[in-house]
Amino acid sequence: MAIQTVGVIGAGQMGNGIAHVFALAGYDVVLNDISQEALNNALALIDRNLERQVSRDKISAEAKREALARISTTLNLPDLGKTDLVIEAATERETVKQAIFEDLVPHLRPETILTSNTSSISITRLASRTDRPEKFMGFHFMNPVPVMQLVELIRGIATDEPTYKALHEVVEKLGKTAASAEDFPAFIVNRILMPMINEAVYTLYEGVGNVKSIDESMKLGANHPMGPLELADFIGLDTCLAIMNVLHDGLADTKYRPCPLLTKYVEAGWLGRKTGRGFYDYRGEVPVPTR
Ligand SMILES: NC(=O)c1ccc[n+]([C@@H]2O[C@H](COP(=O)([O-])OP(=O)(O)OC[C@H]3O[C@@H](n4cnc5c(N)ncnc54)[C@H](O)[C@@H]3O)[C@@H](O)[C@H]2O)c1
């Protein structure tokens, strides 16, 4: 089946980036959220990010105009019923994702492929709550989507080969690179990345270093382009905590226990860049460490 129309659920950090790259690659995109404000912000951000690509001569002004014209938005989930591929990129909470799929499935055509951009939740379990586990896959983009080259493709236990091949072709059409991962908690990238970020938070919690010295150490001492705490703020501390909880519960190993300081930041609503404060305070001209 040729994929032409793509539904994206959730217009947050990931959803807007996913809509951006699909529209630029020639797909028609229907972007859905429960918040009109999120949809408005997403469109404004896509416009800004496309403009940046134009000013850097990466794309033409014509390509930008055409991409924007391919994106429509809706608060009404059943409007995604006629799409060929759905990418769910809503909040990282299993109950939220399950409810979305339950509401959406009755409106879908039988051939539509369903995917989730979840960072950690079991694809097999999400798929089992739908009417099409063989046409369900993990489709894990990296943040920021227009910049990052990798897409993890995660087969659930029931995913069939045509579905895998169809998504592999989509990744190629986007000009990105696919890596296949098995359906175990947090897949490949986050299975390795999140325990490192969590360990950086423990290093802060135990007073081994402060925010600045920890980030500088990993940038200058391990050649990482961003420090782990800066990166955590970029990803979102709520998402980091949710992934650690999935690793902890799913692998039943205490080495994945989330750092209490990470929990405290999330309790405070200091979720990183998206709320203006996390391990750094972004409300002034330059980010200022909060510890
Ligand atoms: N942030 C990252 O670096 C990153 C990277 C890869 C994957 N992911 C995954 O992508 C997903 C989204 O993460 P994000 O960082 O974009 O989160 P976010 O908080 O920026 O955005 C989530 C959006 O989902 C919307 N939403 C919540 N419930 C909804 C519903 N029932 N229907 C429609 N929309 C709904 C919210 O209004 C919000 O706009 C998560 O599963 C996350 O694990 C995140």
Side-chain angles (χ1 to χ4, degrees):
M1 186 192 75
I3 293 172
Q4 181 50 41
T5 308
V6 179
V8 179
I9 304 171
Q13 299 194 96
M14 296 306 290
N16 88 70
I18 293 169
H20 172 140
V21 298
F22 274 82
L24 204 51
Y27 294 96
D28 296 317
V29 176
V30 188
L31 181 60
N32 160 262
D33 204 287
I34 44 170
S35 147
Q36 185 61 49
E37 194 189 349
L39 291 173
N40 296 345
N41 290 343
L43 283 182
L45 197 57
I46 293 169
D47 191 319
R48 262 207 318 279
N49 290 339
L50 285 168
E51 190 53 44
R52 188 174 309 137
Q53 289 177 295
V54 173
S55 67
R56 290 183 185 162
D57 282 333
K58 296 229 161 97
I59 62 168
S60 66
E62 176 76 9
K64 176 194 164 187
R65 212 170 26 250
E66 285 173 4
L68 282 175
R70 286 191 201 102
I71 303 174
S72 62
T73 61
T74 179
L75 289 169
N76 189 22
L77 194 58
D79 288 347
L80 273 60
K82 291 198 173 58
T83 57
D84 307 312
L85 165 67
V86 171
I87 305 164
E88 173 279 312
T91 310
E92 183 76 346
R93 205 169 311 128
E94 190 158 349
T95 49
V96 170
K97 294 184 187 295
Q98 268 173 7
I100 288 172
F101 288 122
E102 272 162 29
D103 290 349
L104 179 65
V105 158
H107 305 282
L108 292 177
R109 295 181 299 137
E111 58 274 25
T112 301
I113 294 175
L114 278 182
T115 69
S116 174
N117 183 50
T118 177
S119 303
S120 59
I121 298 168
S122 164
I123 297 303
T124 301
R125 204 161 60 233
L126 286 174
S128 73
R129 307 291 288 261
T130 73
D131 63 344
R132 61 193 71 198
E134 71 289 347
K135 286 191 165 42
F136 193 107
M137 270 190 63
F139 203 15
H140 187 219
F141 288 83
M142 309 292 138
N143 187 17
V145 184
V147 176
M148 299 296 280
Q149 186 61 27
L150 187 78
V151 184
E152 278 182 301
L153 291 180
I154 305 114
R155 274 182 263 228
I157 207 163
T159 310
D160 65 18
E161 200 54 25
T163 301
Y164 177 81
K165 282 201 176 125
L167 287 194
H168 205 281
E169 276 172 26
V170 170
V171 174
E172 281 173 3
K173 196 169 163 198
L174 295 175
K176 296 196 181 287
T177 305
S180 298
E182 292 301 318
D183 183 24
F184 290 102
F187 321 125
I188 297 174
V189 173
N190 283 316
R191 169 78 178 261
I192 299 168
L193 180 64
M194 279 306 151
M196 186 200 70
I197 286 177
N198 193 48
E199 202 58 32
V201 186
Y202 267 111
T203 311
L204 180 66
Y205 176 63
E206 291 168 9
V208 181
N210 60 25
V211 169
K212 184 166 180 277
S213 63
I214 291 167
D215 275 351
E216 259 180 16
S217 296
M218 293 309 285
K219 281 196 280 194
L220 304 180
N223 223 10
H224 288 195
M226 284 173 100
L229 300 172
E230 198 183 354
L231 180 58
D233 275 358
F234 186 71
I235 294 167
L237 303 192
D238 52 341
T239 299
C240 293
L241 179 61
I243 297 169
M244 284 312 298
N245 279 324
V246 168
L247 281 168
H248 194 221
D249 297 345
L251 297 168
D253 189 329
T254 55
K255 77 177 175 182
Y256 297 112
R257 68 203 185 286
C259 178
L261 186 61
L262 178 61
T263 308
K264 197 167 292 297
Y265 270 73
V266 173
E267 283 170 352
W270 294 13
L271 306 183
R273 277 184 180 272
K274 63 183 171 186
T275 56
R277 206 167 0 174
F279 292 114
Y280 293 83
D281 188 336
Y282 300 93
R283 293 170 302 167
E285 295 246 309
V286 289
V288 179
T290 53
R291 271 171 184 258

